[in-house]
Amino acid sequence: MGERPPPKATILNVNDHPATLYMVSHMLRMAGYQVLEAKNGKQALSIAEGRPDLVLLDVHLPDIDGYEVCRRLRNHEETQDLLIAHLSAVSVQREDRIRGLAHGADAYWTTPMEEEELLANIEALLRLQSRAQGAIRERDEFLSVAAHELKTPLTALRLHLERTLYLTTRGATETIPKTTVEKSLTPALRQIDRLQQLLDTLLDVSRVTSHKLRLDISALDLVELTGDLALRLEAQARAVGVELQFELHHEPIILFGDRLRLEQVLTNLVTNAIKYGGGRPVQIHVEERPEWAVILVRDHGIGIAPQDQARIFDRFERATTARQSESLGLGLYIAKEIVTAHGGTISVTSEPGQGATFQVLLPLRRTERY
């Protein structure tokens, strides 16, 4: 016999009526839940400190009524965020429901209710809770990574400025060579640029999330755009010993799009390829196919595992936890949103250790409005 699957969730069933307590608990256990039981308000308050996933709370209890139990749970720091649903066969009036929700319940259900309906309501409430908890975890992870990413350039910036201050104040009559000042201030300016890039990325995420990402559409030549970008990225690639190999279409590829945003997409793909390419050459290929302009960016580095190839386009996701991959995990998410806003698609094919190829398809003739 196989092992019993883990319970879907833990539910505290609070009811002073023995038959109802047994019936509801049996139904919940048969549906795969772990069930805790309480027969009065004091027991419910004590057991709830163990933080069950849901408190199924009868209104009429012999010592403390369900409304007061709910109010006390909400006022206690350890239990204030518990999921609480009233389930009553007696207090079924509109005023009862209003009172229950006003005291902090997340739901108020009355019986008789079919077993399937009650289970469906419980499932729906737990789903909402799971989504909320997922959003909180995502927020906390983002804040942690963002704090780390922002702290690094701020620390370097402070050190460079403190050195400059020292040089300019160590002697009132001493002349400081221009090159010495430049050596202190130039890295500081680079850190300011890095901070600006991080803040711009956060602003882009805010715009995408609130559906306020706007495109400045005009006719552009994708071949020219890629060539111009090559001049800016080649110096960055050479600095880390990477060769950029461009294979561009021999004729212009004209489409309608936002030049700066498409440059942002291509820059993200190429810089990622440089970062994860293991020092090997990076190929950028631009071609025209029927109905589509195509951008291919290929590296020969660590590659991306199959299970990671879809999620790396989500917010705050990174394909690896290696030190070199520390980032906000937003570049590919923003790139996907920009490409999608242009009516195109972005995808990746890869095998671990065999590099990765990112493909961007952009429509050549888009008629609907952006």
Side-chain angles (χ1 to χ4, degrees):
M1 294 179 64
E3 293 184 1
R4 178 179 297 178
K8 295 189 287 187
T10 299
I11 298 178
L12 171 57
N13 182 22
V14 186
N15 200 296
D16 68 323
H17 193 277
T20 304
L21 182 67
Y22 172 81
M23 179 187 67
V24 174
S25 294
H26 178 71
M27 175 197 68
L28 294 172
R29 290 189 179 102
M30 293 299 293
Y33 295 102
Q34 179 180 359
V35 181
L36 308 175
E37 294 182 346
K39 299 178 181 179
N40 57 54
K42 289 182 179 179
Q43 288 182 359
L45 290 171
S46 176
I47 297 173
E49 292 182 359
R51 300 187 58 80
D53 298 296
L54 170 65
V55 179
L56 199 58
L57 182 59
D58 187 21
V59 171
H60 291 278
L61 298 171
D63 52 350
I64 310 171
D65 69 32
Y67 302 122
E68 178 62 17
V69 171
C70 185
R71 188 190 68 80
R72 293 188 188 183
L73 290 175
R74 289 289 180 240
N75 288 336
H76 194 274
E77 184 177 356
E78 294 299 320
T79 58
Q80 62 183 356
D81 59 347
L82 287 180
L83 201 59
I84 303 172
H86 281 307
L87 181 64
S88 178
V90 179
S91 299
V92 297
Q93 301 300 315
R94 174 176 176 272
E95 292 76 12
D96 299 319
R97 291 193 293 271
I98 293 174
R99 184 183 177 192
L101 296 172
H103 277 75
D106 297 291
Y108 195 108
W109 305 321
T110 60
T111 57
M113 180 186 293
E114 292 290 337
E115 178 179 321
E116 293 82 0
E117 183 181 357
L118 178 57
L119 289 174
N121 276 288
I122 290 173
E123 290 277 0
L125 204 56
L126 289 171
R127 274 199 308 273
L128 290 175
Q129 181 193 51
S130 178
R131 290 173 187 169
Q133 291 173 341
I136 292 172
R137 287 193 300 270
E138 188 177 81
R139 178 206 64 190
D140 290 344
E141 180 186 358
F142 165 68
L143 291 176
S144 175
V145 175
H148 172 79
E149 288 296 306
L150 291 170
K151 184 178 180 180
T152 301
L154 279 173
T155 301
L157 177 60
R158 180 181 181 85
L159 290 174
H160 289 302
L161 292 179
E162 285 178 346
R163 171 174 168 76
T164 303
L165 180 63
Y166 168 76
L167 290 173
T168 57
T169 59
R170 65 180 179 178
T173 59
E174 186 176 354
T175 301
I176 303 172
K178 178 181 178 182
T179 55
T180 301
V181 176
E182 287 179 345
K183 287 180 180 179
S184 294
L185 291 181
T186 300
L189 291 173
R190 284 200 298 267
Q191 298 304 325
I192 291 175
D193 289 340
R194 172 61 177 155
L195 284 171
Q196 184 63 56
Q197 291 172 2
L198 289 171
L199 292 174
D200 287 343
T201 298
L202 295 178
L203 183 58
D204 278 342
V205 171
S206 175
R207 288 168 177 161
V208 168
T209 304
S210 59
H211 305 288
K212 293 182 179 179
L213 181 65
R214 299 188 181 275
L215 302 180
D216 184 11
I217 300 300
S218 62
L220 59 89
D221 178 3
L222 191 60
V223 174
E224 178 193 10
L225 180 153
T226 307
D228 291 344
L229 195 63
L231 298 177
R232 297 200 294 270
L233 295 177
E234 278 183 328
Q236 176 184 340
R238 282 198 304 270
V240 293
V242 174
E243 178 189 1
L244 295 185
Q245 300 174 348
F246 287 86
E247 184 178 344
L248 304 181
H249 197 65
H250 59 280
E251 294 181 356
I253 301 178
I254 306 299
L255 53 82
F256 285 93
D258 186 321
R259 184 183 182 92
L260 291 178
R261 290 296 185 183
L262 292 179
E263 286 182 353
Q264 185 178 354
V265 171
L266 190 54
T267 298
N268 179 278
L269 295 180
V270 175
T271 54
N272 274 357
I274 295 172
K275 186 176 183 180
Y276 300 113
R280 300 181 182 90
V282 171
Q283 285 93 34
I284 299 94
H285 178 82
V286 178
E287 67 177 45
E288 182 175 349
R289 298 177 188 170
E291 306 298 328
W292 299 99
V294 183
I295 302 172
L296 298 173
V297 178
R298 175 171 174 74
D299 67 71
H300 302 273
I302 60 177
I304 304 169
Q307 65 270 21
D308 295 328
Q309 292 176 20
R311 70 173 182 84
I312 60 173
F313 293 101
D314 295 335
R315 282 187 301 175
F316 316 127
E317 292 288 351
R318 295 167 296 281
T320 173
T321 57
R323 180 174 180 82
Q324 67 170 344
S325 70
E326 291 180 355
S327 67
L328 293 178
L330 294 171
L332 289 175
Y333 167 71
I334 294 173
K336 182 191 72 173
E337 294 298 323
I338 293 172
V339 172
T340 300
H342 282 81
T345 63
I346 182 171
S347 59
V348 62
T349 56
S350 177
E351 293 183 11
Q354 301 297 316
T357 300
F358 284 84
Q359 175 180 267
V360 175
L361 297 178
L362 297 169
L364 292 173
R365 287 169 284 277
R366 177 166 178 165
T367 56
E368 61 267 32
R369 296 181 62 184
Y370 287 92

